[in-house]
Amino acid sequence: MAVLSNLPAPESGLFRRPWVLSLAVLLVGLAGTLVAWVIARQGQVQRDRGRLNRFVSRTEQDLRYRLDRYEDITRGAQGFFSNEPTILSVEQWRTYVNHLDLPKRHPGMASLAFISPVRPWDLDAFLKVRPQLTGRYHRPLTDPVPAQDPNPDAERLIIELCEPGDLASAALGLDVGVSHTQRVAAERARDTGQPALSGLLYFAGTADHDDALAIYVPVYQGLPESLEARRRSIKGWVSAGILIKPLIEDILRGEDQGVAFELVDAFATQGPQRLYATQDWPRDAKADVIQTLEV
């Protein structure tokens, strides 16, 4: 037999505490919000990581492409000197370099030079027969590795020709062999027969100095195949001077300005050297993405 009653049922503990239900609803809502935030945050992190990786990839590819172009230009001049049995005049070299249109077509490539190895006892005669070098022999005023007194018997490495522009011509007569950084690069190129990229250099010529790199490509008499033959037959080097700031700023033109960027030479002779950093690079910051570029 069923009996219906109109008497109110006794309240449970839950209904005697209505705030518990409200709290439960609030916690469920907060949990849902937290889950949504975590998912959104992970998505944003992945998007940021992808953006950084794309930036690094583009910058690496563009930097490698620019250096390859500079190397090709320097190799082209290598062939020019290999086939030239006599001393080139300033006018001949200027005409050749002007046709390359370096300032417009190759931002960052500041100069193209020919460097001759000269034995110390032949230095005066070498300078005398080259009018553009008269009274212009000098040594680097600034260098990341302090200039040292050269070995009295070591060959001088003299910039014989250098174009384009006044800043490049001011380098005429410079003994780059006094710079440890440049001598190491020149000797590595001579001994291997392959282009060598120097460490950080300072290009003087203004009130300040410009951070730079240099590519060295050896020029031989004939086609030597052994180390000893290469050292005996070296005629000199074609050297491309690269200003780091114009090069990198041209590469970064149009890139996302929210990405801070630093370029470091990790294997420099004088230890790791910062070559470039954007103005917003935090001091002593650790990079979010690191990419190694072998040159």
Side-chain angles (χ1 to χ4, degrees):
M1 182 175 61
V3 178
L4 297 177
S5 173
N6 291 326
L7 295 176
E11 293 185 353
S12 67
L14 176 64
F15 290 100
R16 286 198 302 268
R17 299 179 179 86
W19 60 268
V20 174
L21 181 60
S22 300
L23 179 60
V25 172
L26 177 61
L27 290 176
V28 171
L30 288 176
T33 301
L34 179 60
V35 170
W37 180 85
V38 169
I39 293 174
R41 176 62 178 169
Q42 288 177 344
Q44 185 62 50
V45 169
Q46 291 176 353
R47 288 191 293 272
D48 288 344
R49 177 70 60 172
R51 183 164 61 95
L52 281 171
N53 287 334
R54 289 190 296 272
F55 169 82
V56 170
S57 179
R58 288 193 303 269
T59 303
E60 176 190 1
Q61 292 175 5
D62 205 348
L63 180 58
R64 188 184 297 277
Y65 171 70
R66 301 295 183 96
L67 292 177
D68 285 345
R69 277 171 43 188
Y70 297 163
E71 180 183 333
D72 289 342
I73 292 172
T74 313
R75 283 183 179 273
Q78 177 193 37
F80 186 77
F81 280 99
S82 296
N83 298 324
E84 183 58 51
T86 60
I87 299 173
L88 283 176
S89 69
V90 173
E91 290 73 22
Q92 287 174 302
W93 184 238
R94 182 173 295 144
T95 299
Y96 175 82
V97 175
N98 284 344
H99 283 143
L100 299 175
D101 197 12
L102 298 182
K104 292 182 180 179
R105 301 189 65 234
H106 306 282
M109 191 169 179
S111 65
L112 198 61
F114 183 71
I115 299 171
S116 293
V118 183
R119 294 175 296 184
W121 47 88
D122 293 334
L123 181 59
D124 290 340
F126 174 85
L127 298 174
K128 185 176 182 179
V129 297
R130 292 163 175 80
Q132 75 273 20
L133 302 183
T134 301
R136 305 189 74 165
Y137 175 81
H138 61 291
R139 297 166 58 177
L141 298 178
T142 57
D143 199 282
V145 177
Q148 302 174 1
D149 291 330
N151 183 331
D153 297 326
E155 288 181 322
R156 307 295 191 254
L157 307 183
I158 310 298
I159 295 181
E160 179 179 343
L161 299 166
C162 194
E163 294 290 340
D166 295 337
L167 184 61
S169 65
L172 290 173
L174 179 65
D175 183 358
V176 299
V178 177
S179 164
H180 179 68
T181 303
Q182 297 192 68
R183 181 175 285 276
V184 167
E187 291 179 348
R188 184 168 67 248
R190 177 200 64 193
D191 291 349
T192 63
Q194 297 298 319
L197 186 65
S198 77
L200 179 66
L201 304 172
Y202 295 152
F203 276 12
T206 60
D208 201 353
H209 67 260
D210 296 309
D211 292 349
L213 301 169
I215 297 175
Y216 283 83
V217 173
V219 178
Y220 301 106
Q221 186 72 45
L223 299 172
E225 297 183 356
S226 67
L227 172 61
E228 293 75 15
R230 284 192 285 267
R231 289 181 174 180
R232 287 195 307 268
S233 60
I234 186 73
K235 293 175 62 176
W237 296 264
V238 178
S239 178
I242 303 168
L243 296 179
I244 298 172
K245 185 176 180 180
L247 168 63
I248 300 300
E249 289 184 347
D250 189 63
I251 289 175
L252 297 180
R253 184 172 290 115
E255 284 287 354
D256 186 349
Q257 298 302 309
V259 178
F261 170 80
E262 183 185 47
L263 182 65
V264 176
D265 182 359
F267 301 101
T269 303
Q270 61 271 41
Q273 293 287 310
R274 173 188 280 188
L275 302 181
Y276 180 86
T278 53
Q279 293 182 354
D280 53 352
W281 181 266
R283 185 174 182 179
D284 299 326
K286 293 183 179 180
D288 294 309
V289 178
I290 297 176
Q291 180 69 34
T292 300
L293 173 65
E294 294 186 6
V295 180

